[in-house]
Amino acid sequence: MVNLESTNARDEVPALGNLVFRFDQPLIKDSLLDQWDSTQYVSFEPKIPGRFRWEHPDELVFSPAQPLAPATTFKATLNSDILKFSKFGRIGKSDNLVFHTPDLKLESTNTTWVLQDENSSTALPQMDLQFNYPVNPNSLKDKLTIQVDGKPINYSFQTLSTSDRLSIRLTALKMEDKTLDAKIAIDKGLLPDGGTNGLKEPIETTSAIPSPFVLTINEVTPQHDGETGEIHVQTSQQLITATLAAAVSFSPAVKFSVEPADDGFIIKSDNFDQSKSYALTLAKGLRGRIGGVLHEEYTTNITFGELAPAISFANSKGVYLSGKGAQNIEVKIVNVPKVKVIISKIYENNLLSAQGNSYYPKETRTNTETRSSSEDEEGGGDYYGYSNPDFFLGDVIYEQEVDTRNLPKSGNGSGRLLNLNITDRLPEFKGIYHVMIRSTKDYWLNDKRFVSLSDIGLIAKEGKEKILVFANSIK
């Protein structure tokens, strides 16, 4: 008999992370390690799409293909397929394999005085509620109450669609030169978008509404994507942009640009080094749009910290590759040591289906990968958790693993650039192709793109009664 010795599939788990199951006996030979496998070794309820691999002879890893549903409880069941390469015939009792993603939380609040419109001289406080998951404002509306100095106050939602950051304007609040205390209460039961576990207890927190006549710096948040660094500075009121850039300085000095935001401003630069620390200084006298002034010089240290792993196409919109161009696709890779490139040919009669059904390539199996009985019954699906017909919308024509540590760096960050000359891998230069780049270790780290290989570019415009299609040579 084999027993489950340890697992992280209990209690709270992150929305993105591998689930590890370690047993008290080795169950597989070394030659079968580190191979992605679609056999359903473990069943999850609700289902989780992803793949399995044996990391060690006694350790099975499940890598989800996407973030787990927010605020949701899952149950795992060990299946007999775990023993198929071993001499053992039974798995010991392994009840209580129940885990959940983090509950909904209100992470922070920020209040900024904003003008009602460009021609108005009257300002209202806008409160931003930052949650750890996207929330539907219509769901929040029924459970949210706000009090200012102990009295309920009316508010209106500025964010009308589901988001993790919801903006609310407090109406009928006069502009006075004093700081007010706001009490925010959210009733239990509120669900995040896509979640099943509502708030178990009400949320109650307080937030200060600053005087509209004094400019204060509320929060400074840096982030880096491996190529560009951004610093979001939240202020107590919107700023006069004409002199904003002159009021910002760094030590060590770095070239940057500044753009206004509804709740302050954003500093951007491709020259920020993710590994360095910077001193950000905002000059005394910085002015807000409704008269507030920064009375003292503001200085804070900026560190970007370790970058989260990421894979993304550098150009978010491009879909054409011309026969006369460089024929390269640039992919930005951050902290992912090895990736796999999969290119599929999509045929004419499958174009709409492939795009509408989120085509996922059926990769070539190694001789160690086996098919589960459920896959045989359903027609050979290769990606546990997704409907099988999607695999037959295209043919995989090229696969390769790439060690990203040998790729050139992107800018001053730790990102890497992969220039993929797709045409070198194709038997003919025409048609629609699907390109996927994914991590070899974490299945959710990927990006994919449909690419048109052609010397003809098409633009379609829809009118009231007709559609006009323009064909352009892009040679």
Side-chain angles (χ1 to χ4, degrees):
M1 183 174 68
V2 174
N3 294 303
L4 181 65
E5 190 171 79
S6 63
T7 180
N8 61 351
R10 287 194 174 99
D11 303 321
E12 185 174 292
V13 300
L16 274 178
N18 291 335
L19 300 177
V20 180
F21 303 86
R22 175 167 287 175
F23 300 91
D24 62 355
Q25 301 288 341
L27 300 175
I28 197 169
K29 297 179 180 178
D30 288 348
S31 60
L32 301 180
L33 296 179
D34 213 22
Q35 303 281 354
W36 286 114
D37 195 338
S38 56
T39 300
Q40 194 171 333
Y41 294 108
V42 183
S43 301
F44 298 101
E45 183 60 39
K47 286 186 176 181
I48 305 174
R51 299 282 299 270
F52 292 90
R53 74 172 189 273
W54 288 94
E55 185 90 356
H56 302 288
D58 61 349
E59 185 177 286
L60 178 66
V61 173
F62 175 75
S63 189
Q66 60 195 30
L68 301 184
T72 296
T73 299
F74 299 87
K75 182 179 180 181
T77 302
L78 304 183
N79 296 326
S80 59
D81 281 334
I82 289 172
L83 306 176
K84 67 181 180 179
F85 296 114
S86 74
K87 62 183 179 180
F88 300 98
R90 188 163 66 91
I91 301 175
K93 192 174 181 181
S94 56
D95 296 337
N96 300 319
L97 291 182
V98 177
F99 56 97
H100 64 90
T101 45
D103 294 330
L104 178 66
K105 298 181 182 68
L106 177 62
E107 294 187 324
S108 64
T109 63
N110 181 70
T111 303
T112 303
W113 287 87
V114 298
L115 295 173
Q116 295 188 55
D117 55 63
E118 291 297 323
N119 300 318
S120 174
S121 59
T122 304
L124 293 174
Q126 178 168 296
M127 184 176 291
D128 295 327
L129 306 180
Q130 181 67 54
F131 293 91
N132 61 331
Y133 297 123
V135 173
N136 188 315
N138 293 324
S139 301
L140 178 61
K141 189 182 300 182
D142 298 331
K143 298 183 178 296
L144 174 67
T145 56
I146 299 177
Q147 294 183 348
V148 176
D149 282 353
K151 298 178 182 179
I153 190 168
N154 294 326
Y155 59 83
S156 62
F157 275 89
Q158 299 301 299
T159 306
L160 302 179
S161 58
T162 299
S163 175
D164 61 351
R165 183 183 179 188
L166 299 179
S167 297
I168 298 166
R169 287 191 183 175
L170 309 183
T171 57
L173 196 64
K174 294 181 180 180
M175 295 174 59
E176 298 180 285
D177 191 8
K178 63 179 181 179
T179 299
L180 302 174
D181 291 324
K183 181 181 179 181
I184 303 159
I186 301 174
D187 291 340
K188 63 181 181 180
L190 178 64
L191 283 170
D193 186 50
T196 58
N197 299 335
L199 278 177
K200 297 175 183 177
E201 300 293 336
I203 292 176
E204 292 188 356
T205 188
T206 57
S207 180
I209 301 176
S211 165
F213 302 104
V214 177
L215 178 63
T216 58
I217 309 301
N218 292 344
E219 190 172 3
V220 178
T221 308
Q223 65 178 32
H224 206 292
D225 64 3
E227 185 172 328
T228 302
E230 290 190 7
I231 301 171
H232 187 182
V233 181
Q234 293 177 304
T235 56
S236 61
Q237 60 186 264
Q238 294 171 311
L239 301 173
I240 297 174
T241 58
T243 58
L244 179 56
V248 179
S249 60
F250 286 95
S251 178
V254 63
K255 187 177 180 180
F256 61 89
S257 63
V258 178
E259 59 184 52
D262 287 342
D263 60 350
F265 62 97
I266 297 172
I267 306 168
K268 292 184 179 181
S269 177
D270 293 339
N271 298 315
F272 281 129
D273 189 332
Q274 170 258 336
S275 63
K276 290 183 178 180
S277 176
Y278 297 86
L280 167 64
T281 300
L282 303 178
K284 174 183 175 181
L286 186 63
R287 302 188 69 86
R289 294 179 62 184
I290 58 174
V293 178
L294 187 64
H295 292 312
E296 299 290 338
E297 182 180 88
Y298 177 89
T299 301
T300 187
N301 286 326
I302 300 295
T303 54
F304 294 99
E306 184 70 18
L307 302 184
I311 298 172
S312 62
F313 287 95
N315 188 320
S316 61
K317 296 181 180 180
V319 296
Y320 288 111
L321 280 181
S322 167
K324 298 297 183 183
Q327 303 168 8
N328 282 337
I329 299 177
E330 190 174 289
V331 184
K332 186 166 59 178
I333 302 169
V334 180
N335 286 345
V336 182
K338 186 176 287 188
V339 298
K340 187 172 185 180
V341 180
I342 309 108
I343 302 175
S344 307
K345 169 77 173 180
I346 309 295
Y347 300 102
E348 291 180 26
N349 56 327
N350 291 332
L351 289 178
L352 291 178
S353 296
Q355 198 163 26
N357 293 329
S358 298
Y359 168 80
Y360 201 98
K362 180 182 178 182
E363 300 174 38
T364 303
R365 292 177 184 272
T366 66
N367 56 11
T368 61
E369 288 189 280
T370 58
R371 187 188 301 281
S372 67
S373 59
S374 62
E375 291 177 316
D376 288 327
E377 293 170 2
E378 295 173 358
D382 188 52
Y383 192 53
Y384 167 55
Y386 282 98
S387 56
N388 293 304
D390 294 354
F391 298 118
F392 306 107
L393 299 175
D395 287 334
V396 173
I397 59 174
Y398 175 78
E399 299 176 69
Q400 182 184 6
E401 289 191 357
V402 178
D403 190 332
T404 63
R405 289 166 292 193
N406 298 324
L407 298 176
K409 283 190 175 184
S410 170
N412 291 317
S414 60
R416 303 281 180 168
L417 290 179
L418 169 63
N419 285 307
L420 180 65
N421 192 321
I422 187 173
T423 56
D424 286 348
R425 279 82 175 171
L426 304 180
E428 57 179 343
F429 182 82
K430 63 179 179 179
I432 302 292
Y433 294 84
H434 180 273
V435 181
M436 167 174 273
I437 316 287
R438 67 161 177 81
S439 165
T440 59
K441 291 291 185 183
D442 300 313
Y443 234 69
W444 67 86
L445 280 173
N446 68 75
D447 200 3
K448 48 188 180 289
R449 172 76 56 84
F450 287 98
V451 176
S452 171
L453 290 182
S454 174
D455 283 323
I456 299 176
L458 297 179
I459 300 173
K461 292 189 176 182
E462 182 180 2
K464 291 183 179 180
E465 299 179 353
K466 62 179 69 175
I467 291 178
L468 297 178
V469 179
F470 302 87
N472 304 277
S473 170
I474 55 176
K475 283 186 178 182

